Amino acid sequence: QVQLVESGGGAVHPGASLLLNCTAVGRTFGSHAMAWFRQAPGKEREFVAAVKWVIGDTQYAESVKGRFTISRDYDKRTLYLQMNSLKPEDTAVYYCASTSYYRAHLTPASTYNYWGQGTQVTVSS
């Protein structure tokens, strides 16, 4: 069994930065890809960014391109999301996710079989 443990959320002003972490804990961890999703109140969970675990290819939602950067530390089994130039519309609970299996499409939530508990990010003045 694999657990994804997230940290790094918080409350910040517009224009600020935050770094989210997600560490995979468990005896066996083999991932094809990991991703960040977010869910704002009253809205559906939406894709933010993904990275293929071994080769490092990345993919981003249009709304965060140029502001957010996804990365991973293979040896530490940790996924990161560096969020810069935060906007109020970035306010949401952020979830990390992992898929153990090859999947052609990394944006659907159904691609992933492990999820973290979520960490709150609030951007307001």
Side-chain angles (χ1 to χ4, degrees), residues 9-54:
V12 297
H13 294 304
S17 298
L18 279 175
L19 175 65
L20 303 184
N21 303 325
C22 172
T23 299
V25 179
R27 283 189 176 182
T28 304
F29 175 69
S31 180
H32 165 63
M34 292 188 73
W36 290 97
F37 285 75
R38 65 186 182 187
Q39 188 165 18
K43 295 189 176 181
E44 292 188 355
R45 190 169 297 190
E46 66 171 356
F47 171 79
V48 175
V51 61
K52 292 184 178 178
W53 191 247
V54 175

Side-chain angles (χ1 to χ4, degrees), residues 38 47-49 60-69 90 94:
R38 65 186 182 187
F47 171 79
V48 175
Y60 294 92
E62 285 296 324
S63 60
V64 306
K65 272 185 183 177
R67 299 188 299 122
F68 291 9
T69 302
D90 295 318
Y94 283 71

Side-chain angles (χ1 to χ4, degrees), residues 92-107:
V93 177
Y94 283 71
Y95 298 89
C96 70
S98 176
T99 176
S100 307
Y101 309 105
Y102 170 80
R103 292 289 185 265
H105 303 291
L106 300 184
T107 60

